[in-house]
Structure formats: structure tokens, C-alpha cells
Amino acid sequence: MKDHFRRAICLALILLVPPGAALAEDAAGVSPAAGAAPSAAGEEEIETIEEVETLQPDGDGSSSNARDWFSDAYPSLERGINLHLARTVRKYTLLFSVDHRTYQPLTKNPFEDFLGFDSGNLKIGLGLRFGVLDWMDVGLYRLNDGKTVPFDTYEFDAKFRVLKQDGQFLNLAVRPGVTLFTQRKGVKDSVGFFGQLLLDRVWFNRLTTGTGLLFHSNSTNDVKSNLDERWSMAVPFVFEYRILDWLALNYEMAVAVAGYGSKYGQGGLKAPFVFDGSPVSTFSPIYSGGVKFITNRHTFAIVVSNNQFMTADGVVANTWRCYGESVIGFSITRELDFD
Amino acid sequence: MPSRRVFLKMVGLAAGAVSLIPARLAQAKKVGLKLDKVAELQKVGGWAIVPIKEETVLLIRDGEASIRAMTAICTHKKCKVAYLPDDKRIRCKCHKSFYDLDGKNTDGPAPAPLRQFKAELRGEQIVIDLG
């Protein structure tokens, strides 16, 4: 009985030694000549490649090849300045953003108030986005309150990229979300929702253009309260020109085309805040312009804008500030990869 | 309930079947490149990044009769790496990761070594085992 058992074990061990192991030994040393037909034992087959293409290594922040500038070696630029593009954050990547916008116009006491940063009422936005899939990310954004706007804004959204420029000519995404306005004590919180259709395309590896349609159910900006539930719809225009791999120029606008924002300054609606000596503001499309510095995983943008409100509700309503009342600010993003 | 004899037969047959699978795979993964098709590899110290099947392979001619092959994709952010012949090191220019000639990550943010492939010069042909 024991002999049978031993024989069976030996048989199994012999069978378990793969012929592939012999091939691996061949590769290290004595194997048939190059390009040779399979050996006598018929064990080795080499597939010969006739046409060989060579590739270049990726850049290091000094690449002059603009095609590299949108590779994984650089941050995924999913926003222009405030306005979203149809790109999502890379899968398993966390994008952290910090935005500051002053309240006081850039031109008023620029030295004493350090371009407005020392004058109070700063709007500070903190954002997190996480790439769940190659074509989907989710985000959380918080904008603080202040003396003029007694509510915090919290934004929760998901972005779904439906089309991708590689193969489908342009990027297209939809971005639905919910906005929560948390009021100060004694005032009821309010909730709104938004939807964005986003389109963009990169031209000549340098110029990104974007547009789409933005909607928010509660878009009255500075005078927002739980009673304000007036919707607005706007068309965004985003331009980002990549001068160098580390430097881009940005300009973006959002023009209200329907709803509350499109009627701002008309029919008895007055601009709630007007600075002394400034032209009376009634209606201006929102704009932001800036210079963006791009490193391997950070971006830093210095921004001039006529809008303090960087959230989805803030960009659909036109602003009461005319261009002479523009403010300054900055935006920083940092990508963290969990892949 | 099968007898022990039947059970051992089944084990033996299964083992035999399994042992055949890697052999098939190994045969399918060997690739030959003509040395004269890659100009960069004509001299010692030369290197090239070559897409072969699903792999992007970094080939380094480290001797008259020897050649190294490993993945050219950095383990940090998937950039394509480059060989520095003077330093005898491999560098990912994207985020300044460094690897030694064996593909071991030695400096920078790369979290893991570069995957190695068996490669050899057989006359005028480079044979790479992608298995």
C-alpha cells in the first residue's frame, strides 16, 4: 500500500515540473541561435518583430513637445479658473483646491489693504475632488460666509465624462449637484440643485476652449436666503492657452441667458452694493482672467475677477460688479495619487 | 467517495494538465528584434524604448554581448523613463525618480522597482522573454 502511495507521489512530482522551466533555462544560457526555428524538441518559439518603433521618454517640466503637456506627467486640469471643463480628475486621484477672492476692488487702497487682502470679507473656497473611475469624479466644495453674505455654501457634485477628445473629437461631461446654504442662527438653511453640460476641446495641443450650459435653481448670489429660489441659466466660455508646459493664460466668462441672472438690474432689481465713486453697477457678465503656473502636481493661478462667488450658483448669476470693481485672488490645486 | 487510487490518479492527471499551461505561455511570450533595426543599441551604453506587444520596454546595451530589458513605465506616475549612460542609472524625468540598472528604485517617489524581462543577444538578434 505504501509503495503505491510513493509511486503516485513521484508521478505527480514528475508531471508537475513544467516544460516551461526548461525554456526559461534556455533563455539564460544555451539556447538555439537567433531567429531559429523551434528546436528539435519543438519547445522554443520566438516571434520576430520586423518593424521596430522607438519612443521618447516623458518630459520633466522642460519638455518642448506640447503633446506631453497633457500627459499623466502633469496635473489633470479639470477647471479653467472657476468654471469646470469636461475633464475629470484621474482615477484614484484626490484633487485638493484652495481659492481666495478679495471683496474690496483691486484699485481701492491697493497698497494699504494689500490689494484687498487686508480689507476683510475674503471669500475662501476649499474643494476636494476624487476620481472614482476614468470617466467619473465626485466633489465637495465649501465657500465661507462673511459680513455681506451670512451663509456658508456647500456643494456636492459628480461629474460624468461622456465623450473624450481622443476618438470623439471633443470632451463632453455632465455635472449634476446639490448646494446647501447653511445660514446663521435663526434663519432656516436652504438647498438648491444644479446641472451643468460641459464641452471642451484642446486645439493644437495648446489652446483649450470650453463652453456648455449652466443651471442653478437658486442663483441670487449676494442676497441669497432660504426664500430666494430663483433659477438662472448661463452659457460659459473658457479659454486656456498653454504658453509653456508650466505656464498658461486663462480667461473665462459666464453670461446669464435665462432666469433671474438674465434680468439682473432690470425690472426694479437694484445692485445691492455699490462702492463710492464707482459707476453704478447693474449688470455684468461674470469674468475671470489669470495666469496659471503648472508643476508636476500643483497649479497656482493669480486671478482677477468681478466675481467672488466660485460655486455653481455663483457663476450662473451675473454680478453686480462692473469691470472697474474687479477683485484679485488666487487658486491653488494639489493632486494626490492613490493608485 | 472515490478510492485513494482513483483520487491519486485524478491528482496526477490534473497536475499534468497544469504543467502544460506555462509551457504554452512561455513559448508565446518570446520576442526577437533585429539589432540593426534599433540604431540606438548598436553601441555599448545605447538605449531605446520599444513598444513590444502590450509592453513598453526599455532596452539598455550594457555590454558587447549583453543587453538588459525592463518596463519603461515608471512605477510612480506611469511616465516613460530614460537611461543615463554616464550615471548608469535610470531616471524618470517627470518626478525625479531613479532606478539602478537592475530596475531597483533607489531615489525619488517611485514606490516599486521596474519589472525586469529576460533578454539576451543572440548574434544579431535581441531575444526578450516577456513571460
Side-chain angles (χ1 to χ4, degrees):
Chain A
M1 186 64 90
K2 278 182 181 174
D3 287 343
H4 287 308
F5 187 68
R6 281 197 200 107
R7 254 182 265 154
I9 294 290
C10 289
L11 180 66
L13 284 174
I14 288 164
L15 287 171
L16 275 170
V17 175
L23 286 180
E25 290 305 314
D26 282 348
V30 283
S31 56
S39 65
E43 290 172 338
E44 186 174 60
E45 284 178 15
I46 298 172
E47 181 183 337
T48 303
I49 295 177
E50 295 297 336
E51 292 303 318
V52 179
E53 174 198 7
T54 57
L55 305 175
Q56 294 301 308
D58 285 317
D60 63 343
S62 59
S63 172
S64 58
N65 188 345
R67 276 179 307 177
D68 294 342
W69 301 351
F70 294 89
S71 72
D72 284 356
Y74 294 89
S76 46
L77 304 175
E78 42 69 66
R79 281 194 302 173
I81 295 173
N82 299 332
L83 298 175
H84 278 254
L85 293 163
R87 303 172 193 151
T88 54
V89 176
R90 291 189 189 97
K91 187 179 177 185
Y92 300 148
T93 296
L94 182 69
L95 182 80
F96 177 59
S97 60
V98 181
D99 304 307
H100 279 57
R101 300 289 184 273
T102 63
Y103 174 76
Q104 184 163 290
L106 179 60
T107 51
K108 188 178 179 185
N109 300 328
F111 184 77
E112 293 84 348
D113 291 332
F114 190 52
L115 302 172
F117 281 102
D118 286 350
S119 62
N121 275 315
L122 271 179
K123 278 289 176 193
I124 301 171
L126 299 172
L128 285 175
R129 295 200 75 77
F130 184 71
V132 181
L133 300 167
D134 287 330
W135 49 270
M136 177 196 174
D137 65 11
V138 292
L140 163 65
Y141 194 87
R142 186 253 184 184
L143 193 65
N144 68 322
D145 62 359
K147 286 179 185 171
T148 58
V149 278
F151 54 83
D152 282 335
T153 306
Y154 291 89
E155 195 171 272
F156 308 90
D157 74 278
K159 195 194 289 185
F160 304 90
R161 197 194 62 228
V162 181
L163 300 179
K164 194 175 181 184
Q165 182 173 333
D166 295 341
Q168 287 147 331
F169 187 72
L170 51 71
N171 298 311
L172 187 151
V174 289
R175 181 177 173 241
V178 174
T179 312
L180 172 67
F181 304 101
T182 58
Q183 306 283 351
R184 286 180 187 163
K185 200 173 180 182
V187 182
K188 202 176 168 186
D189 293 346
S190 61
V191 175
F193 64 91
F194 63 91
Q196 298 184 344
L197 172 69
L198 305 165
L199 301 156
D200 73 55
R201 192 178 200 284
V202 179
W203 306 89
F204 314 115
N205 294 310
R206 285 182 186 267
L207 175 66
T208 299
T209 57
T211 186
L213 195 61
L214 314 176
F215 168 86
H216 201 285
S217 67
N218 187 341
S219 60
T220 50
N221 263 351
D222 320 47
V223 293
K224 195 187 303 293
S225 77
N226 56 321
L227 299 176
D228 290 325
E229 293 179 349
R230 285 166 286 193
W231 61 272
S232 287
M233 201 175 273
V235 176
F237 299 97
V238 181
F239 301 93
E240 180 168 280
Y241 187 74
R242 198 86 170 255
I243 301 171
L244 298 167
D245 60 329
W246 55 270
L247 183 66
L249 292 180
N250 286 75
Y251 184 82
E252 64 185 33
M253 289 183 85
V255 182
V257 293
Y260 173 79
S262 67
K263 298 179 181 65
Y264 201 80
Q266 302 170 22
L269 286 171
K270 294 280 176 65
F273 308 103
V274 177
F275 287 99
D276 293 339
S278 302
V280 175
S281 308
T282 53
F283 172 91
S284 298
I286 284 164
Y287 90 92
S288 297
V291 181
K292 190 183 284 184
F293 300 90
I294 301 155
T295 68
N296 292 324
R297 283 296 175 265
H298 283 85
T299 68
F300 176 72
I302 301 170
V303 177
V304 175
S305 177
N306 65 348
N307 176 36
Q308 268 195 305
F309 300 89
M310 296 158 276
T311 44
D313 61 302
V315 296
V316 296
N318 290 294
T319 179
W320 52 268
R321 291 172 186 268
C322 67
Y323 296 129
E325 293 165 342
S326 294
V327 300
I328 197 169
F330 63 83
S331 295
I332 300 172
T333 67
R334 165 71 166 118
E335 275 191 13
L336 300 164
D337 189 6
F338 293 97
D339 194 358
Chain B
M1 187 79 177
S3 67
R4 190 167 63 182
R5 186 181 298 264
V6 172
F7 175 73
L8 289 173
K9 271 184 187 170
M10 285 165 62
V11 168
L13 287 171
V18 167
S19 69
L20 292 174
I21 294 170
R24 285 287 117 201
L25 290 177
Q27 284 177 10
K29 288 281 186 179
K30 282 205 172 184
V31 171
L33 302 180
K34 289 274 192 296
L35 190 56
D36 60 3
K37 297 278 185 185
V38 192
E40 296 89 338
L41 297 175
Q42 299 294 321
K43 59 180 181 180
V44 175
W47 61 279
I49 300 174
V50 181
I52 304 173
K53 295 192 169 181
E54 288 82 32
E55 302 287 351
T56 303
V57 180
L58 172 67
L59 295 168
I60 301 169
R61 181 85 183 266
D62 63 338
E64 280 296 340
S66 63
I67 196 157
R68 290 171 186 262
M70 63 197 82
T71 179
I73 304 300
C74 179
T75 56
H76 177 226
K77 289 288 177 187
K78 301 181 176 61
C79 292
K80 292 191 286 297
V81 298
Y83 177 58
L84 307 176
D86 294 339
D87 292 347
K88 290 192 166 43
R89 288 198 298 173
I90 295 154
R91 177 178 67 176
C92 175
K93 295 172 85 180
C94 291
H95 304 98
K96 315 289 186 292
S97 290
F98 287 89
Y99 303 86
D100 64 18
L101 262 177
D102 294 324
K104 187 183 172 194
N105 47 319
T106 55
D107 199 3
L114 298 172
R115 190 155 55 92
Q116 301 283 301
F117 304 115
K118 268 183 185 165
E120 63 178 320
L121 276 174
R122 295 183 188 176
E124 289 301 305
Q125 192 176 36
I126 307 161
V127 178
I128 305 160
D129 187 350
L130 298 175

